[in-house]
Amino acid sequence: MDETPRWALPLLFAGQAQKEIQHNEALTLIDALLHGRVESADLSAPPGAPTVGQCWIVAAGASGDWSGQVDAVALWTEGGWRFVAPRAGLRVAVADRDHGLFYDGTEWRGDAIRDDGLYLDDERVVGPQMAAIIAPSGGGVIDVEARSTLADILTALRGHGLIAT
């Protein structure tokens, strides 16, 4: 075996010539993946003037130097483009989306927790906390069961932080 099983990082061997090449290649890939950050996941062609160390997730319809690399993490290095095929569980922050993406083994998906709420299947299901709602009181007809139910709902919403107390 001449590479690691998960990320295909090159391994060193006893008596190997020019070990620094293998070692530097492994460090370059680790640097791209460890607490990863990509500029975008929406480009299908390489950007015009990348900076060494910048990464992108290659979008569908990849062309040019990115042809055949859809979903890979593209890393610009001093030696040109390096590509890392994603593995299930890989998470990266995406600069132009202000939230992260994770690879589920089949596709890139948006993180559930974002600055503006909680998402399921990229649909926001919980947003920012709302203003306080006062408990029911008064009225011409008092329905104890309805008030009790409303009070329980309000208590649950406050307990989850969805509305202020």
Side-chain angles (χ1 to χ4, degrees):
M1 194 158 103
D2 58 351
E3 58 187 30
T4 62
R6 185 160 167 78
W7 291 111
L9 301 174
L11 296 173
L12 301 177
F13 296 97
Q16 178 180 357
Q18 298 181 331
K19 289 181 183 182
E20 67 278 2
I21 294 172
Q22 299 294 95
H23 179 74
N24 289 343
E25 178 67 16
L27 290 177
T28 297
L29 296 175
I30 290 169
D31 186 58
L33 296 172
L34 186 65
H35 302 291
R37 179 184 183 272
V38 299
E39 303 304 314
S40 180
D42 300 315
L43 296 181
S44 58
T51 301
V52 170
Q54 285 184 310
C55 297
W56 287 262
I57 294 173
V58 180
S63 62
D65 288 344
W66 287 3
S67 184
Q69 298 293 335
V70 172
D71 287 338
V73 174
L75 165 66
W76 181 249
T77 68
E78 291 175 355
W81 289 107
R82 299 276 198 288
F83 299 96
V84 180
R87 305 288 192 271
L90 177 61
R91 288 184 184 280
V92 294
V94 183
D96 67 355
R97 293 190 185 190
D98 289 331
H99 71 270
L101 293 176
F102 71 95
Y103 193 74
D104 68 4
T106 304
E107 65 181 338
W108 288 99
R109 300 176 55 161
D111 273 344
I113 299 173
R114 304 180 190 178
D115 288 343
D116 66 339
L118 176 68
Y119 286 73
L120 295 175
D121 294 324
D122 278 332
E123 183 177 333
R124 190 171 79 181
V125 294
V126 177
Q129 186 183 63
M130 305 296 288
I133 299 172
I134 61 170
S137 65
V141 178
I142 297 175
D143 183 335
V144 175
E145 288 182 24
R147 283 194 182 178
S148 174
T149 300
L150 287 172
D152 289 346
I153 291 170
L154 291 172
T155 298
L157 292 173
R158 289 180 183 121
H160 288 291
L162 299 176
I163 57 174
T165 56

